[in-house]
Amino acid sequence: MTDVSTANPRRAEILAAAAELFARRGFHGTSIGDLGRALGLTGPALYRHFRGKEAVLAEMLVDISERLRAEGVRRAAAPDPSAALDALLDWHISFALDNPALITVHERELDNVPEPQRHQVRRVQRAYVEEWVGVLRRLRPDEPEPRVRAAVHACFGLLNSTPYSAAGLDRPEMAALLHTMARAALAC
């Protein structure tokens, strides 16, 4: 997996601008011309980087899914499952607080991604969930796996609420609150 931001900074810049526009206006409410103007380009100049708006959205969601999974694998490998869970929480909380537009776009626009890439996003997301499930099963081996998986999904709902819930608190306070709440939610 290649991180788009290091492999091609211009593509990363386009993806970041698209995330902001798609989050604010929606995928269908944003034209390729709007995206070009946000970057100081003509819309057609974007076609040198992407085949179209759907390709931008697909790459955006595949890339972030891959980055979440890769870092999840790394953090879940900690020998101490409690430390691994804290590391996973810290990673996901940082991502959620730093990338509210990506969370919003994923929540609203995944159905607009072409089927092959949508399938890839879902497959990678399932693998990311399974990293969390594995850590929680190490912590509570007697807990039924379907219950653990449901708890992980519910925890993601909490953590991914940041585009709506993070207003009014500074970042460290919100991160601490989310960590405490998620830890408590995953303890049941």
Side-chain angles (χ1 to χ4, degrees), residues 130-150:
E130 291 309 310
E131 292 300 326
W132 287 67
V133 168
V135 167
L136 286 172
R137 296 278 292 155
R138 287 170 42 209
L139 279 169
R140 296 190 315 274
D142 294 333
E143 193 74 37
E145 193 169 312
R147 182 177 167 88
V148 171
R149 191 170 291 105

Side-chain angles (χ1 to χ4, degrees), residues 43-114:
L46 287 174
Y47 290 113
R48 282 184 255 145
H49 301 279
F50 292 95
R51 288 184 316 276
K53 198 169 63 163
E54 292 82 6
V56 172
L57 180 62
E59 185 168 322
M60 177 190 308
L61 297 182
V62 167
D63 176 63
I64 197 53
S65 297
E66 290 282 358
R67 286 194 287 149
L68 281 165
R69 186 204 53 80
E71 188 62 20
V73 166
R74 191 182 76 71
R75 290 177 182 241
D80 173 26
S82 185
L85 180 57
D86 285 332
L88 285 168
L89 284 167
D90 290 344
W91 160 242
H92 199 99
I93 290 166
S94 289
F95 169 77
L97 290 172
D98 293 342
N99 298 283
L102 283 172
I103 289 177
T104 300
V105 171
H106 180 274
E107 177 184 301
R108 289 187 199 157
E109 307 296 351
L110 183 59
D111 288 343
N112 291 310
V113 171

